[in-house]
Amino acid sequence: MKKHANCVYLAAILLAPYVASMGSSKILSEGELNVYSARKEHLIKPLLDRFSEANNIKINLVTAKGDALLARLKAEGVNSPADVFLTVDAGRLHRAQLAGAFQPIKSDLLQQSIPAHLRSDKDEWFGLSTRVRVIVYAKDRVDADRLSTYESLSSAEWKGRICVRSSGNIYNQSLVASMLATQGLSHTEQWLNGFTKNFARQPSGGDRDQIKAVAAGQCDIAVVNSYYLAGMLTSSDDSERDAADKVALHWPNQNDRGSHINISGAGVTRSSKNSELATRLLEFLCAADSQHWYAQINNEYPVLAKAEIHEVLRKWGEFKADQLNVTKLGIYNSDAILAMDRAGWK
Amino acid sequence: MNNQLILDKVSVHHQKTMAVSGISFSLSLGEIVCILGPSGSGKSTILRAIAGFNDLSSGSIMIGDRTASTAHFTLPPEQRSVSMVFQDFALFPHLDVSRNISFGLQSQLPKKRSDRVEEMLELINLQDVSHKYPHELSVGQQQRVALGRAMAPNPRLLLLDEPFASLDTDNRNRLAREMRKLLKLHNITTLLVTHDQNEAFALSDQVVLINSGSIQEIGSPTELVQRPTTIFAADFLDLGDLIEINLDMGGNLDFGLGKIPTHLSTDHLGKRIKLLLRPGAIICDDNGSHMLKIVGKNLLASTQGYSLELPDGQTVHCSASLRKEKTVGEMLTVRFCLHEVSVF
Amino acid sequence: MEITSRSDASFWFPPSIRWGSIGAFLITVLLVFPILVIISSIFRPFGQVWHHLLDTVLLSYIVNSIMLMFGVALGTCLLGVSSAWLVAVCQFPGRKTLSWILLLPMAMPAYIIAYTYTGLLDVSGPIQNNLRAIFGWSYGDYFFPQIRSLGGATCMLSLVLYPYVYLLARVSFANQAGAIIEASRNLGRGPLSTFLSVSLPMARPAIIAGVSLVMMETLADYGTVAYFGVSTFTTGIFRIWYGLGELATAAQLSAMMMFFVFSIILLEQQSRRRMRFYKNEYRVKTKLIQLKGSRATIASFYCWTVVSIGFIIPIIQLVVWAASRWRENLNNAFVNLAWNSFLLASTAAIICVLGALFLSIVKRYSKSNLSIAQVEIAKLGYAIPGAIIAVGVLIPAGWFDNQVNLISEAWFGKSIGLILGGSLGILIFAYLVRFLSVSLQTLESGLSSIKPSIDESAASLGVSKLNTLRKIHLPLLKTSLLTAFIMVFVDVLKELPTTLILRPFNFNTLAVRTYELASDERLIDAALPALTIVVIGLLPILLIFKTIAKSSNVE
């Protein structure tokens, strides 16, 4: 008999949290907002907590890959509990818009603060930060004067000297998408063929790994997002800082369209029963304070022009960013992948 | 000498206890020898030592002209040219009959190998099931496969471990005779182990009787039955009734029924001896001179067996014709016929 | 004892077993549904993307996946079988300790070992940095194997997956009848030849069971191959889904992958259709081969090397990383996270084991081909990447929720929100779909080694089926049940994509945290949750291994 009592007890312990959580996922009180975020928890939760405290509402968060969350949104349909969908790439926002996941937002504040090319034309989503794809080079082996544009990286001069991560990475895809949007298909393919021939190794690892490979001498230049370099420069790990010190940053395409940028951004879902509160959350994320934190925590650039930026970023100075409407990154994303496949960019 | 196997004062220890000790015997070419003994007597240990699975603690084993085991050296089983048929046959469950048989022929050329397999299949008369797996065979067929598999590599010595234990009694004697024919026909030197004397007698030329790890007697089946030299042999082989009795200086036995003269050797005169009374030593005869009380009876195939009590309380047996049946408690008139008694 | 024999027991079973069959039918229908959702994608039109795939990358996906799968199968076989054989049939110093230590790499998620070895061996890692510093070389002056490669991925996966093979092969070797090994020896085969031609083929069902789990897990792996930049079927699936937004095509690729796995399993079963594999009924322990001198040292050294590379070295690396940041990372929230993971993994494991027990018992008594086919399909879940399973679960769950809401709006004039979507129930259901195979495989092999005659004798004594299960099967299955529990527990603990996609609001696990930090390229911060996954995974392994060791020959 005692054995049975133990089993029941064990079952009760195991099941209690589930019963509790199953209940909570269903309650949709007025003072509650549900956020689907492709931005990692530690890069968004503190800000959400601040909003939740200031407005005395409860915010529920679930994070995952953008496309997985989009699939979940679609499957849940009109009954989805999500109010806000946040991604780290314009292409995903565009895709969600096409899928009818967003509703248009009327907010003067958002429209004024965020430049037109960083939000959707129907005001269904808004950019919240920008990340720049830059060239990083070995200080001791590369003459900075030889660096100019992304396009120039396809020349034979860089044969066997370039490190870049796989074409599965969204930032590579959006870089190529931006080229397709500005240069057209044949020009881009030509560039891709030359560029992939210059790889020092099979693409692998993340952006930090590319920077480390430059520092270690496996390659001379790498194409990475600037915030990874900033992250390494401020890292608590000595070897990361040492590696970052051996390389320098080059802003590409300063004399023409500007360096390629992508955004993280968010929109209010069509299924939201709290669109007014959700809009207020977006406005909060766009305020100067939030913008500073939001960008700084990940060494990104804020979309709000007057917001403060990180010290490391200030040291790098001003740069010219591509003014291409980021919607185009979404439109050309698939074509970019197909082109990269054809060029043999792993 | 064409000795195929010589055991010289072989002892084997299991952990720290002695399993067998001082075992010596030999097998010549084509001879079939049986180690007979009760379970736990160490007979399997001897077999396994010969196969190379047990190390010796002293003594030596020669197989052919090669030293196979000493206290310091054990030739690996695979180099001994000794094949064993296991009690549960130990057929390879993942191989069919042909491949079980060809298992020991790996060093031969494929052509020779398949010829030999065919030959063995014919020998054991299993050609039509050559592609079946062991679990698809009857127990008798499995035994034949095991035998064929062991004989296929033409071993110097064949070891059989309780070869008929898995078969039903009806078949045992017949199969034992068939096997002897087969082994003799191919002149295969064989050592088998069994606890069943009928099997041993049906199959072998020589019997090594062992008990508690040491040899009691060695001899041909006939010798063993006719002239057992140990009480153990008489008892284990169930040769008759063993009774204790006094032999006076005049060579007469005293059953408490009056003196009965014998022709026993003079060594025993005046001693208390153990006497083996074989069936036939006590004959039911209305003209006999002695009356014994019937204490039990059991019906045999064509005669009636009686258990009779001697005056001193020991029990002896005799059989009588079915026609004059008596009941327990009655007296039976018998006479003694002590020509073939053995004394210990 | 026969392992693959089917029970002839159905004739004496009362019709009430039908209810069991119906229950099993419903459960498997439910479990198979998400898989069918994915398989059904085959019948949708093949989009434009297929032309592109065929023209460009599909062949390399297939070639890489096959090479990876067979490479890992070979690697785990070599490591798992050799160590299992040494530990099961040889005597050498440290054998007893090694017999459970060798299991430990199982607790190590493949992507974590990949991170640690990349940290160590990459061109910018300490080893190559020191080589360059000491010898004054620069990159290219010396040869160093590239860790981020197909070969590297094969090694990493083999190192953490071999315990699946080891676990099953060890039991099989230990239970082999001594006489069969001896029979081979005195037919002229040496120890090596005996191992190759008798022990190994007889252990084949166990090894194959282990290897097929390994192969499925390899196919479904995303973390390692994505990190190493190896394009496989799985990375292709995600590339098509995430990159091109073509979920339908991604599902079609998954379905093709499933057919591939299915045909391999079928082929193997067909090839040993007529063989039977017996266990040692007499429990005559095979005498351990006493290794002496240098041989014993080599055996011991070999096993320790395997464990060191698969477990100890990466653990040291994780500890070093975690130690440098533990003050910042170890707090109440973290403890909560660990507790969440533990509860989730144990609940899922218990439910999986119960489900598998029910299905395997019903399969034992029922000979209907339908129920057997269903159980076989239910096993396929293991080969599908977690994210795809998640989608297969999301779609029907969303449909169900929407229907319920439509009805409630029509009847009561208001919607009631999601019932399944975003609940822990649906997450655990997805685990069940994905990991049932692991527990089912273990229980089936355990159950099949119990003779049908035992059931029959119980029935002839008037014992009901339920009591037969409770009094006879469960005690005899103890080892199998515990093994199944560990395997699912550890798998759920490491599981990432399904959890990520299906979890409720505000619900985090260690694997999610590790992933978020690691994919942000903050390996050092990721070390603490990663290390905790390993430690929590170790607990049941150690605990249960003790129980198994006590009743070591139960199976």
Side-chain angles (χ1 to χ4, degrees), chain C residues 456-475:
Chain C
E456 286 158 20
S457 67
S460 69
L461 292 170
V463 181
S464 74
K465 281 190 300 297
L466 206 63
N467 273 335
T468 311
L469 176 67
R470 199 161 59 90
K471 291 187 175 153
I472 295 171
H473 293 153
L474 288 187

Side-chain angles (χ1 to χ4, degrees), chain B residues 318-339:
Chain B
C318 97
S319 55
S321 148
L322 283 170
R323 270 172 296 161
K324 300 176 269 185
E325 194 179 339
K326 301 219 168 200
T327 55
V328 174
E330 285 183 275
M331 302 300 276
L332 192 69
T333 316
V334 298
R335 68 182 162 86
F336 288 86
C337 173
L338 299 177
H339 300 299

Side-chain angles (χ1 to χ4, degrees), chain C residues 313-358:
Chain C
I313 293 174
I315 278 289
I316 291 174
Q317 171 76 81
L318 285 178
V319 168
V320 168
W321 279 342
S324 68
R325 301 275 296 173
W326 70 273
R327 258 179 264 272
E328 292 89 331
N329 290 328
L330 192 63
N331 48 34
N332 274 342
F334 183 81
V335 174
N336 197 18
L337 198 66
W339 183 236
N340 262 352
S341 301
F342 177 77
L343 280 184
L344 189 64
S346 35
T347 314
I350 288 172
I351 292 177
C352 268
V353 170
L354 289 179
L357 182 66
F358 179 66

Side-chain angles (χ1 to χ4, degrees), chain A residues 268-280:
Chain A
V268 176
T269 63
R270 183 164 298 252
S271 62
S272 172
K273 282 109 195 148
N274 266 325
S275 55
E276 190 258 337
L277 196 58
T279 309
R280 261 169 55 206

